[in-house]
Structures are given as structure tokens and as C-alpha cells.
Amino acid sequence: MREKKVILLVEDEALIAMSQKGGLEKYGYEVITVPSGEKAIQIIRDRRSIDIILMDINLGKGKMDGTECSEIILREIDVPILFLSSYTQSDIVERTEKITSYGYVVKDSGEAVINASVAMAFKLHEAHQKLTKSETRYKHISEMMADYVYSCTRAPGHEYSIDWIAGATEKITGYSIDEIAGWGCWKPMVHPEHITVFERNIVNLEPGTTSDCEIKILNKNGDERWIRSSARCVNDTGNNVHRLYGTVHDITGGKRASEELAANASRLKRLVDILQHASESIQEFLDYALEQAIELTGSTIGYIYYYDEGCKEFVLNTWSKNVMPECAVTNPQTRYELDKTGLWGEAVRQRRPIVVNDFQNYHPLRKGYPEGHVELHK
């Protein structure tokens, strides 16, 4: 097992490469430098173990640029690529986003910012790998078993009618076998968004054809569940009746796990975007960070306060856009003494994040809020 993570630094300017190499080595990385895209590709093809690539976008006039090199490399191996650039124009951002989700760093950002961007890229790549492994694992396991099976027939000019069904139907759907059989077809529990998928892959299947699809259903309690359906349509011998054989796998657990991993990867990407955001002032950066944090957490309102350790006082810096239209507090304060704050001051008092997902319920540290305050739930 290698002790150090290996960075491939692709930079055509020798002095910049030397400086960045030294800065990264301070953080415990092994750094390999190459001056061109061609040499970077050769190292990858020589099977050199590389954990991340820092890729300069402009590698010299008339030479392969960093984006072209990255596209070639990513066709051959799965490796995080973090772009380096002296520019922050929107076209540069768009070019990098089309190739990889790890973003870019402005070259003169400083050692700490570049190191933090590398660390975030590693976390984002790990999240992507976990998502891929989870999806593959769940697919293989679910393919080995069917949660329930069914058979139905359709005579010319008639709808399908279930004539046989067995398995864990009630556990998955909440409906008994008799209830489902009574419908003649299990279309009534298909989610409205997936009716078209259901009809294309099951109802309208022609004899001699098969289909596999993922469908969202609503169980008896109205909760959403995901299933994978496999179906085969045949002609019943000699009577011109279509017969449909089907198996159903409950993939809800795998879907939810994948969605959570994808959400985590999205959160990491958002943090990378905040870290790499080019701002002309601290206030612009804080405004951007607040906006991203609100989206990151699925919130509707947010704020940033400065805290003065000396006088133990909070001073308002920024409110989110939606606060004032919803707030009816007369003469809202912009300064708060720590001792007079309620639950939100606990983050400073306890020196740790405080998360409350049901603000309306009783909490021993909650003091409430003034009349006209925006109503809080989480």
C-alpha cells in the first residue's frame, strides 16, 4: 500500500511547476511534473499509479491543451482532474465543466487554496466511486432474485387480466394478491409520472419481445417505491391470446442509497464551487457562500453574523433575499449579546454545529422568537 497520494502536475512553465510542486509536497503528496499533454498521456499509458491530475489549461501555443488531454485520459482511466488556469472567464469554466466535475483553481490562489481544492476533489471522487459501486452491487444482487412474479393474458380487443401472481406483493405494495388480481392489471399503483413507461414496456409489449425497465409506484399508504420490472410477451398456443410473464424486484433501497450518495457528491461539489469562487471582495464572497449554503441545505432563508469574542456579541453581516419580505418584526435588531440568544447561539457556546430538524417541537434550549419573525420549522 502506497503511503503518499501521487499527483500528476501538467504545467508547461517550469518555474510555476517547481513552485506548485514544492507547495504540494509540504502537504505530504508525491508530485510528478510534466510539461505537456502528450507526456501526461504517456505516463498514464505506462500504468503509473496516479491519484489525481492537476492540469494546466493552456499548455503552450500550437500544442495540445489541457482540456483535450483530459478528454483522452478520461477515456482510458477514471481519475479526478482538477484544472489550473490563470483566467476565470465563463468560457473557461464551461470548457472544464463539460469534461469533469472537479472544477478548476486559479493558479495564484495560494498553496492553501490549491491544497484544499485537491482534498475536496479526492472526497468528491470517493463519493462518485461509492455511488457507482452501490448501483452495481444492488443491480447484481437484485438480478438474482424476484420479489414477486405474475402472469396475465389478453384476448384480442380486451385489456390484460392477471391470472396468476405470487410472492411478496403485500410487503412491497401494501396490497394483497386478491386486491391486485381484482384490478386485472397492476397499472393503478403505477406513479402518474411513469404511466408512459409502464404502457410502453408492459402493456404494449408485442409477442416475441421482452423488456426491462425501472418504474416508480405508490404503495397502499401513498409512499413512493421503486421496482425493476422484467417482462416477456408470447402468443398462447393456438388461441391468438397474448400472454405476459413478468418478474418484479423492489429496488427502493438501492435507489435511496444511490440518491443519498449522489446528494453527498453534489454537496461536495457545491463546497468546491464555494472554495474556488473568484470574488472581488470579502463581502461578495460571503454573499455567494450564503446563497450556495442555502441551496446546499435545501433551506429558504439564511444569515451570516460576525461574532466578536471580546465583547461576546453577534453583528449581522448578511441576510438572505427571502428574509425581509417574510419578516414582520418591528425594528429588527442587527446586534445580539451571546447571553441573550437562544438556540442559535449554542453553536458558539458549545463550539460545535447545532442541528434541529423540528423547531416547532419542544427543545430545552429554545427561547422562541419575537412576534412577526419568519416561521421556522427546521
Side-chain angles (χ1 to χ4, degrees):
M1 183 177 179
R2 290 179 290 123
E3 294 182 0
K4 293 184 177 181
K5 289 188 179 295
V6 180
I7 297 176
L8 176 60
L9 174 60
V10 188
E11 170 60 67
D12 63 317
E13 297 185 43
L15 290 178
I16 293 177
M18 186 181 302
S19 173
Q20 290 177 339
K21 181 177 187 294
L24 290 164
E25 286 176 340
K26 291 179 183 177
Y27 290 96
Y29 297 111
E30 179 185 341
V31 183
I32 300 171
T33 61
V34 293
S36 68
E38 291 82 359
K39 289 187 179 295
I41 293 169
Q42 189 58 52
I43 281 185
I44 296 299
R45 288 176 175 168
D46 287 343
R47 298 291 186 264
R48 181 71 169 87
S49 294
I50 301 297
D51 295 299
I52 191 170
I53 299 174
L54 297 188
M55 179 73 71
D56 186 12
I57 294 177
N58 185 357
L59 292 172
K61 188 175 181 180
K63 296 182 180 180
M64 177 190 294
D65 69 16
T67 55
E68 182 184 355
C69 174
S70 297
E71 288 175 332
I72 294 172
I73 289 173
L74 290 174
R75 284 198 292 267
E76 301 189 16
I77 65 166
D78 175 25
V79 62
I81 298 179
L82 187 62
F83 287 102
L84 299 170
S85 175
S86 301
Y87 313 98
T88 59
Q89 291 96 328
S90 59
D91 62 320
I92 298 293
V93 177
E94 289 176 7
R95 285 170 64 192
T96 60
E97 286 183 341
K98 289 177 181 177
I99 299 168
T100 178
S101 60
Y102 301 97
Y104 75 97
V105 182
V106 178
K107 286 186 181 181
D108 60 0
S109 297
E111 291 178 3
V113 172
I114 291 177
N115 174 63
S117 297
V118 169
M120 291 301 296
F122 277 130
K123 290 182 179 179
L124 186 56
H125 185 247
E126 182 182 356
H128 284 317
Q129 288 183 317
K130 286 181 178 179
L131 176 58
T132 301
K133 287 179 180 178
S134 174
E135 290 175 338
T136 302
R137 185 185 303 118
Y138 199 86
K139 180 176 182 293
H140 289 327
I141 292 173
S142 64
E143 285 174 349
M144 296 170 63
M145 59 175 66
D147 290 311
Y148 65 87
V149 293
Y150 64 92
S151 167
C152 52
T153 58
R154 180 174 65 184
H158 292 77
E159 298 293 327
Y160 269 114
S161 176
I162 295 174
D163 60 4
W164 176 74
I165 185 169
T169 53
E170 192 160 359
K171 178 181 177 182
I172 297 169
T173 70
Y175 295 102
S176 68
I177 288 177
D178 289 339
E179 286 176 301
I180 297 175
W183 297 333
C185 174
W186 50 275
K187 181 178 177 178
M189 63 183 171
V190 175
H191 194 286
E193 295 175 2
H194 284 227
I195 292 294
T196 301
V197 177
F198 174 80
E199 291 181 342
R200 182 175 63 247
N201 290 277
I202 297 175
V203 175
N204 297 330
L205 209 58
E206 294 293 329
T209 62
T210 61
S211 74
D212 290 282
C213 63
E214 293 181 357
I215 297 175
K216 185 160 57 175
I217 65 171
L218 295 172
N219 69 12
K220 198 170 186 177
N221 294 326
D223 299 325
E224 294 181 359
R225 298 195 71 84
W226 280 89
I227 60 170
R228 180 179 292 115
S229 167
S230 298
R232 172 178 295 173
C233 184
V234 299
N235 264 328
D236 250 13
T237 307
N239 57 13
N240 200 30
V241 172
H242 292 180
R243 178 172 290 278
L244 194 68
Y245 296 103
T247 64
V248 172
H249 306 268
D250 183 1
I251 60 171
T252 306
K255 276 284 185 181
R256 288 175 180 167
S258 295
E259 287 168 358
E260 181 60 27
L261 286 169
N264 287 337
S266 176
R267 294 182 189 111
L268 286 171
K269 177 64 166 61
R270 184 88 62 173
L271 291 173
V272 171
D273 290 343
I274 293 173
L275 183 66
Q276 297 173 353
H277 181 68
S279 302
E280 295 183 359
S281 67
I282 292 176
Q283 187 59 54
E284 182 187 344
F285 177 80
L286 289 174
D287 290 342
Y288 178 79
L290 177 60
E291 177 186 328
Q292 295 301 306
I294 289 172
E295 292 187 23
L296 181 71
T297 56
S299 303
T300 56
I301 61 173
Y303 54 82
I304 294 177
Y305 276 87
Y306 289 130
Y307 178 66
D308 188 323
E309 193 75 65
C311 60
K312 298 186 182 302
E313 184 179 61
F314 293 97
V315 180
L316 178 68
N317 172 265
T318 307
W319 268 324
S320 60
K321 297 175 184 177
N322 295 332
V323 169
M324 293 314 295
E326 296 183 32
C327 182
V329 175
T330 304
N331 298 321
Q333 291 180 247
T334 59
R335 291 176 176 270
Y336 291 89
E337 295 177 24
L338 175 62
D339 291 342
K340 295 181 180 180
T341 60
L343 188 59
W344 67 283
E346 290 301 316
V348 171
R349 283 190 283 268
Q350 297 187 35
R351 306 292 177 172
R352 66 181 182 87
I354 303 296
V355 179
V356 176
N357 282 321
D358 192 348
F359 191 82
Q360 296 300 319
N361 274 346
Y362 169 77
H363 192 288
L365 299 174
R366 182 166 65 88
K367 295 182 179 179
Y369 40 69
E371 184 178 351
H373 191 282
V374 177
E375 188 171 349
L376 302 178
H377 296 282
K378 292 185 176 182

